[in-house]
Amino acid sequence: MIRIFHEFEDLTMSEGQKFVPQQDVLTFYKGSTIFVTGVTGFLGHVLLSKLLCSCPDIKKIYILIREKRGKDIWTRFQEIFDQPVFEKAKKCCPDYTSIVTPIRGDCLKPNLGISDTDRDLLQEEVNIIFHVAATVRFDAPLRDAVYINIRSTSDLLDIAKGIKNLQVFVHVSTAFSYCAEHNTIEEKVYEPPMFPQNILSIVDHLNDTILDRITPRLLGPYPNTYVLTKAIAESLCLHKNTGIPITVFRPAIVISTAEEPIPGWINNTYGPTGIVAAAGIGLLRTLNADKNCKANVVPCDYVINAMIAAAWYTAETWKTFKQNTSDEDPAKMLRVPIFNYSSTETNNSLTWKAFMEGNEKFEQEIPFSYSMWAYSLTLNKYKFVHQVYVIFLHLLPALIVDSIAVLCGKEPRLWESYQKVHKLTNVISYFSTRQWIIPHENVKKLWNCLSPGDKQIFQFNLENLDWKTYFKNHVFGIRTYIIKDKETTIPYALKKRKKLIFTHYAVISLFLCLISYFCLRLLQVVFK
């Protein structure tokens, strides 16, 4: 059985003492060699950019990249740096190609698909590991989720054991890893829903057809394969912790950047960002959400800053801890600090109502030129009411519009679009209709340990976040990076919005008149 880890500082300090870091964050990263997985994803992009911009004395960064769609790793490497999110990094670090080196690999494969030569290279040179790679698709097939989220973690931990000078291994999980079994998710490793070796054995020995059939039973109370596999992967950090410095970092729902490297930058439509985008173009009109529940959303750049600082803190406390314990001390094998990076327990938290209204306000100022209808989103707490809204506000209009398209010889698209929207909203509804208590004491301790200079460079205190400014950047970021709407189209979009609003209320008025007419006729028939 897993021994639960409760304490954080107490294992490193004797009673009455306060932890004092031997070096600041920038000094810690000076001359270090870092290995990052998941660099092609959203978090990975911002992490790599931040390291290049704010830690100028890093010696080397190795990044795991897989070959994809006929493109080799060097082509994909260049494509990464061609994106807007890296413009600042290239200015801060013009010789980035001499610092950042791709390593061929694939988290779907055993040992992350890393060759023996590259494995030896990593074990010889690397000091810090950020394991960010994950399949963040909530509906990912169980096999993919297990291999990427669980097996890759296990294999990378095995590689880490052979690293000569490992200072810290950062495993990125999620604040909702135990959401199915606990209303309060504390900063500790819980009993896993299933032991890693058991689910790996199941996936290795069953074909896809059988796996798909038994997935609902394996999930049990867990909402999706992502959360289940993340919970199981965390237990590996405790089981395989053979005296190496490991920390588990749990961010909540990650949304676009607040400030760095570009305000409002995002490259995906997962989660709340997809909701805001769909509502902004007039496609989404109902969401199964409790408007009074807290929206546990956190900006990506704040997440990355906290993650970088967590690596520093874990390495620093580990050094002190090693000095105060013997090599045979079993407590050393179980020390895995956890960081819950969550917004719900702060004084600056948001409800789902406040989150959606904050975005709606700026959607009125900078609407999307591709909008097909006026912004009109209703949050419905009860699923039945939401489904009724779906029928009348999504499915019936889609059926009418697509029928007209077919009659005109055009391709029907709206019904298919709504299938994708409903897939997204069904995933979100589990988290938007429930609320968890997620303490973040270790994150508060982490912030208080930073020097004034580091606090400026690595800002992650959510109490300081100006949500009003954030919402403006969020909507502009969705408009620019997701909808691909140019800033020059804003005047046109504002005019179009006025027409859509007029049409929206005209349709509502017509509908109410028809309802009134039929009700009146019905009363005349009844009382005739």
Side-chain angles (χ1 to χ4, degrees), residues 518-528:
F518 284 117
C519 288
L520 182 61
R521 292 300 302 268
L522 181 62
L523 289 173
Q524 290 174 343
V525 171
V526 171
F527 293 104
K528 187 174 181 180

Side-chain angles (χ1 to χ4, degrees), residues 36 75 131 170 307 322 359 420 424 444 464 466 509:
V36 183
T75 301
H131 184 37
V170 180
M307 189 192 306
K322 284 184 70 175
N359 285 285
K420 295 177 181 178
L424 170 64
K444 288 194 284 188
N464 299 331
D466 180 359
S509 300

Side-chain angles (χ1 to χ4, degrees), residues 229-495:
T229 53
K230 278 298 188 180
I232 297 172
E234 282 193 13
S235 67
L236 284 166
C237 295
L238 203 62
H239 277 306
K240 297 200 138 189
N241 181 12
T242 54
I244 60 176
I246 302 174
T247 187
V248 175
F249 187 84
R250 295 177 182 157
I253 303 173
V254 184
I255 51 179
S256 69
T257 59
E259 299 166 8
E260 300 178 288
I262 306 171
W265 183 80
I266 192 163
N267 67 349
N268 66 79
T269 55
Y270 298 132
T273 297
I275 298 298
V276 175
I281 62 174
L283 194 63
L284 180 66
R285 302 185 187 97
T286 175
L287 178 66
N288 185 202
D290 185 342
K291 63 182 181 181
N292 296 317
C293 280
K294 290 185 177 181
N296 198 353
V297 291
V298 287
C300 184
D301 50 336
Y302 276 49
V303 170
I304 294 303
N305 288 339
M307 189 192 306
I308 290 172
W312 158 80
Y313 188 84
T314 302
E316 287 292 289
T317 55
W318 178 260
K319 287 190 293 187
T320 305
F321 180 62
K322 284 184 70 175
Q323 294 170 3
N324 297 336
T325 57
S326 65
D327 291 337
E328 294 78 22
D329 191 336
K332 184 182 294 187
M333 311 290 281
L334 296 169
R335 187 183 182 281
V336 180
I338 314 294
F339 294 90
N340 284 346
Y341 194 72
S342 165
S343 63
T344 56
E345 308 309 308
T346 68
N347 296 320
N348 200 18
S349 60
L350 296 170
T351 62
W352 283 106
K353 179 182 179 181
F355 177 78
M356 295 311 303
E357 287 181 347
N359 285 285
E360 181 183 2
K361 178 183 183 298
F362 288 103
E363 188 279 333
Q364 296 171 5
E365 296 181 11
I366 45 175
F368 307 150
S369 67
Y370 297 110
S371 295
M372 61 179 67
W373 200 258
Y375 187 108
S376 177
L377 177 65
T378 303
L379 304 183
N380 291 301
K381 176 180 178 180
Y382 300 104
K383 191 170 184 179
F384 173 75
V385 177
H386 166 69
Q387 289 174 333
V388 171
Y389 270 64
V390 165
I391 292 171
F392 287 98
L393 298 181
H394 290 177
L395 300 183
L396 283 179
L399 188 62
I400 293 170
V401 171
D402 280 356
S403 297
I404 294 173
V406 171
L407 292 174
C408 295
K410 296 181 180 180
E411 185 180 353
R413 293 180 177 179
L414 196 54
W415 184 275
E416 183 181 349
S417 297
Y418 271 120
Q419 300 311 305
K420 295 177 181 178
V421 169
H422 295 156
K423 194 174 184 180
L424 170 64
T425 57
N426 289 338
V427 167
I428 288 293
S429 65
Y430 180 88
F431 302 96
S432 60
T433 56
R434 294 169 175 80
Q435 188 167 300
W436 293 266
I437 298 171
I438 307 180
H440 60 288
E441 293 304 312
N442 290 344
V443 171
K444 288 194 284 188
K445 291 177 183 177
L446 175 61
W447 176 254
N448 292 332
C449 281
L450 292 182
S451 68
D454 282 338
K455 285 182 178 179
Q456 287 187 343
I457 298 171
F458 303 100
Q459 170 63 257
F460 63 83
N461 187 354
L462 290 168
E463 305 283 359
N464 299 331
L465 180 62
D466 180 359
W467 282 112
K468 183 178 179 180
T469 301
Y470 179 84
F471 288 136
K472 183 176 183 179
N473 291 331
H474 187 222
V475 172
F476 188 80
I478 292 173
R479 193 183 196 279
T480 304
Y481 304 111
I482 301 298
I483 307 297
K484 307 297 184 183
D485 226 345
K486 295 181 180 179
E487 191 172 356
T488 54
T489 64
I490 291 179
Y492 164 76
L494 286 168
K495 292 179 182 179

Side-chain angles (χ1 to χ4, degrees), residues 18 29-30 44-45 50-51 88 111 145 167 193 215 217 224 239-240 286 362 386 412 416 436 451 456 485 501 505 526:
K18 182 180 179 181
Y29 283 95
K30 184 177 182 179
H45 273 39
K50 181 64 177 181
L51 290 172
K88 182 179 177 181
N111 299 314
Q167 293 179 289
T215 292
R217 294 188 63 183
N224 50 62
H239 277 306
K240 297 200 138 189
T286 175
F362 288 103
H386 166 69
E416 183 181 349
W436 293 266
S451 68
Q456 287 187 343
D485 226 345
I501 289 175
Y505 285 109
V526 171

Side-chain angles (χ1 to χ4, degrees), residues 110-244:
N111 299 314
L112 293 85
I114 298 174
S115 68
D116 292 341
T117 302
D118 286 336
R119 180 187 178 114
D120 292 341
L121 175 69
L122 296 176
Q123 290 181 328
E124 184 70 30
E125 296 187 15
V126 168
N127 313 119
I128 301 166
I129 294 176
F130 287 101
H131 184 37
V132 186
T135 174
V136 295
R137 282 182 52 201
F138 284 178
D139 61 341
L142 184 64
R143 187 184 308 280
D144 289 354
V146 168
Y147 283 162
I148 296 175
N149 295 347
I150 299 176
R151 188 176 67 182
S152 74
T153 303
S154 177
D155 291 345
L156 188 54
L157 283 167
D158 288 336
I159 292 173
K161 291 175 190 176
I163 292 178
K164 294 182 178 180
N165 187 27
L166 181 67
Q167 293 179 289
V168 64
F169 182 110
V170 180
H171 171 67
V172 181
S173 185
T174 170
F176 301 99
S177 51
Y178 301 98
C179 63
E181 299 178 298
H182 301 275
N183 292 324
T184 300
I185 304 172
E186 298 180 16
E187 291 174 305
K188 65 181 184 181
V189 177
Y190 291 86
E191 194 78 24
M194 188 183 302
F195 286 110
Q197 61 270 27
N198 292 346
I199 195 167
L200 279 167
S201 179
I202 290 171
V203 168
D204 285 339
H205 290 90
L206 298 180
N207 61 39
D208 290 339
T209 302
I210 297 176
L211 267 183
D212 290 342
R213 192 182 306 158
I214 67 171
T215 292
R217 294 188 63 183
L218 291 174
L219 286 176
Y222 281 79
N224 50 62
T225 56
Y226 171 74
V227 174
L228 174 74
T229 53
K230 278 298 188 180
I232 297 172
E234 282 193 13
S235 67
L236 284 166
C237 295
L238 203 62
H239 277 306
K240 297 200 138 189
N241 181 12
T242 54
I244 60 176

